[in-house]
Amino acid sequence: MSTLSLPAQIPSQAISSAKKRVAKLTLWPLVAATFFMVSGGTYGTEEIVSGAGYGRGILVLLFLPVLWCLPTAFMIGELSSALPAEGGYYAWVRRGLGNFWGFQEAWLSLAASIFDMAIYPTLFAIYLKQMVPWFGEGYHALYAGLFVVVTCAALNLAGIRVVGITSLWLFFLLSLPFAIIVALSPVKLAAFGQPHAVTAGAGVGLLGAVLVALWDYMGWDNASTIAQEVERPRQTYPKAMIAAVILVSLTYILPFVAVYLTGIPASAFNEEGSWATIAGQLGGTVMGMQWLRFFVTLGGMMSAFGMFNALVLSYSRLPLAMARDGMLPKVFGKVTKKNETPWVAIVVCAICWVPCLLLGFKRLITLDIMLYGAALMLEFVTLVALRIREPKLRRGFRVPGGMAGAISCGIFPLGLLLLSMVESEHETILGINGLAFGVAIILAGFGVYFATRKVRARYETQATAEPLPAD
């Protein structure tokens, strides 16, 4: 069987003209959803400055959008405008490289989600217990994590517009405390020391800071999985990607520049959640309460909630698209009659993520980057493959520079991902070398594909024979 055979038609791309029109995501709700799929705001950036210092840390945050984000955004813009399919990157890779690599793309993304989705409910609980210490006792933090999972699943079941509008409001609310920090910096100029004397803290080091920044700038393609639920996707996606790159970059860089001007040392960013402590210093006390610290802490909860909410939206579309293509049982493709939401995929994904809450808050950054990076490289290969195999494919946006531009835009992301693989040699996961653990997960995808070949053949026959019902 050739893994490069091109399907005559991808079922996940076929849209019935008889379907009723449902509410779709417009430009700014899509930008907000992408923002949470990638970033979630300034939270989680502390180790960049503590490890690299202000000067080098800010340079890292400035250069990565050019070397990492823009090439990825260009690739996503072209493929999304050419193939606005449900399942996004999975559908692109399957179209360009065949069933085998399409399956591996979905496998890598869903495997990465097991580690990634444990972070956000736990982070929500970490910020919550700063406000209500009761959640720091016993298993009470687990209740907060379950609240996030259940509430986000419910919001996703309500439809894509609800998730998009929720993301937009959460973006404005969690950005407000950092806007205040930026506004206060001229008033607090050098109030805590001399800015030019600020030095790096003893954190993760420069290489570690780069890896943390890569993680903070990761996930641009997640927004592609909802393409059929976006208004005019061919025109909307390229605009949304560029707008989101600019927005995410500014939310990282401006607060660090502002705090640098106040003279607070880089070593103050010594742990996750340091932004709340620094906000308390800058905002002072009103009626016995550190008001700015309170709002930054509240924003941290909203950030974690918003990221989990947006990623449920993204990941749940993979089982939907795979069911339509016969890669998974047909039940995963069931959607609601009211808003065509994949309710089975959402519920099953949420149930699978609940046990991840027991993993605790340990960000396995290099493993995340390795699995995500392998999937991302398949997308860059697909970009070139489709340029060669389907030159006449309608593309609302093209990566600049012709074929040379399409090939070269993956060079810097590939270099950065290789850097993360080298660093994974120093990390241990469940007593196993981090690089070996990641390679084992990647190879497991090959085994699962071939082991389930006969079962998938039956699913594919069922998917071709009859349409998926709405409930």
Side-chain angles (χ1 to χ4, degrees):
M1 181 185 68
S2 171
T3 59
L4 293 178
S5 59
L6 180 64
Q9 183 184 35
I10 297 177
S12 66
Q13 289 179 265
I15 310 174
S16 171
S17 58
K19 283 185 178 180
K20 64 180 180 179
R21 180 176 174 81
V22 296
K24 292 192 173 185
L25 218 55
T26 52
L27 176 61
W28 288 109
L30 177 60
V31 170
T34 304
F35 173 85
F36 280 106
M37 291 176 191
V38 173
S39 166
T42 315
Y43 305 93
T45 58
E46 293 90 340
E47 287 184 303
I48 297 172
V49 165
S50 71
Y54 278 110
R56 291 185 299 177
I58 291 171
L59 284 176
V60 167
L61 291 170
L62 280 170
F63 279 110
L64 277 185
V66 177
L67 301 178
W68 169 265
C69 302
L70 280 181
T72 305
F74 281 158
M75 176 268 291
I76 295 167
E78 175 167 330
L79 292 177
S80 292
S81 66
L83 300 169
E86 198 80 358
Y89 47 78
Y90 151 76
W92 307 337
V93 175
R94 184 171 182 261
R95 172 79 170 251
L97 304 179
N99 285 345
F100 174 79
W101 291 112
F103 183 90
Q104 301 312 313
E105 179 77 5
W107 169 269
L108 290 167
S109 300
L110 291 172
S113 80
I114 298 299
F115 302 98
D116 198 43
M117 294 300 269
I119 294 170
Y120 310 112
T122 310
L123 184 58
F124 178 92
I126 286 174
Y127 280 106
L128 178 59
K129 71 183 181 183
Q130 291 187 33
M131 301 172 64
V132 184
W134 182 81
F135 284 98
E137 302 171 5
Y139 289 98
H140 298 167
L142 183 61
Y143 304 152
L146 287 171
F147 165 80
V148 173
V149 175
V150 172
T151 305
C152 289
L155 287 171
N156 274 266
L157 289 171
I160 191 169
R161 283 281 295 171
V162 173
V163 177
I165 297 300
T166 301
S167 297
L168 197 57
W169 277 106
L170 286 173
F171 165 73
F172 287 121
L173 291 173
L174 71 86
S175 297
L176 182 58
F178 291 98
I180 294 172
I181 288 174
V182 172
L184 282 175
S185 63
V187 180
K188 302 282 187 176
L189 189 64
F192 299 92
Q194 295 298 319
H196 64 270
V198 174
T199 58
V204 294
L206 179 59
L207 180 57
V210 171
L211 292 176
V212 173
L214 277 178
W215 189 85
D216 285 323
Y217 277 125
M218 195 170 73
W220 299 100
D221 54 347
N222 285 328
S224 69
T225 62
I226 56 174
Q228 286 188 357
E229 300 166 82
V230 172
E231 194 76 48
R232 301 192 307 138
R234 296 182 190 276
Q235 294 77 30
T236 303
Y237 266 98
K239 296 176 184 177
M241 289 299 104
I242 299 301
V245 168
I246 295 171
L247 201 61
V248 170
S249 302
L250 290 177
T251 58
Y252 288 159
I253 295 166
L254 289 181
F256 277 131
V257 172
V259 175
Y260 165 73
L261 292 175
T262 67
I264 291 176
S267 57
F269 294 96
N270 56 4
E271 61 181 356
E272 194 70 44
S274 296
W275 275 112
T277 303
I278 290 168
Q281 291 180 260
L282 291 174
T285 303
V286 176
M287 298 179 65
M289 182 183 75
Q290 291 185 320
W291 61 276
L292 190 52
R293 179 190 178 108
F294 172 82
F295 286 118
V296 167
T297 303
L298 188 62
M301 293 167 56
M302 289 188 285
S303 172
F305 184 94
M307 285 188 284
F308 192 90
N309 193 37
L311 287 170
V312 170
L313 177 68
S314 173
Y315 287 130
S316 64
R317 268 55 181 181
L318 285 176
L320 168 66
M322 293 178 77
R324 288 177 173 176
D325 292 342
M327 293 279 196
L328 285 178
K330 190 172 67 171
V331 67
F332 285 97
K334 287 191 174 184
V335 297
T336 59
K337 289 182 179 179
K338 182 179 179 181
N339 49 32
E340 298 182 8
T341 299
W343 68 271
V344 173
I346 290 171
V347 171
V348 171
C349 283
I351 292 172
C352 290
W353 288 325
V354 167
C356 298
L357 301 179
L358 300 174
L359 294 176
F361 187 68
K362 179 173 174 56
R363 289 207 318 208
L364 304 172
I365 291 177
T366 53
L367 182 61
D368 252 355
I369 294 174
M370 183 188 302
L371 297 176
Y372 170 78
L376 188 67
M377 284 301 106
L378 283 177
E379 295 164 33
F380 278 111
V381 172
T382 298
L383 174 69
V384 177
L386 286 174
R387 284 282 189 97
I388 297 170
R389 301 182 66 171
E390 300 189 56
K392 295 183 179 180
L393 182 67
R394 179 188 170 191
R395 295 168 172 88
F397 171 83
R398 282 178 176 267
V399 174
M403 180 61 76
I407 295 172
S408 62
C409 75
I411 293 175
F412 282 116
L414 176 60
L416 291 167
L417 291 168
L418 291 174
L419 179 67
S420 74
M421 292 181 69
V422 171
E423 180 67 12
S424 67
E425 284 284 349
H426 308 299
E427 186 169 306
T428 301
I429 302 163
L430 300 177
I432 305 172
N433 173 272
L435 179 59
F437 192 85
V439 170
I441 292 176
I442 293 170
L443 293 178
F446 293 17
V448 171
Y449 180 83
F450 290 113
T452 59
R453 185 186 302 176
K454 292 183 179 179
V455 178
R456 282 184 293 100
R458 185 167 68 250
Y459 295 156
E460 192 168 0
T461 301
Q462 294 173 351
T464 306
E466 55 181 305
L468 293 161
D471 293 337

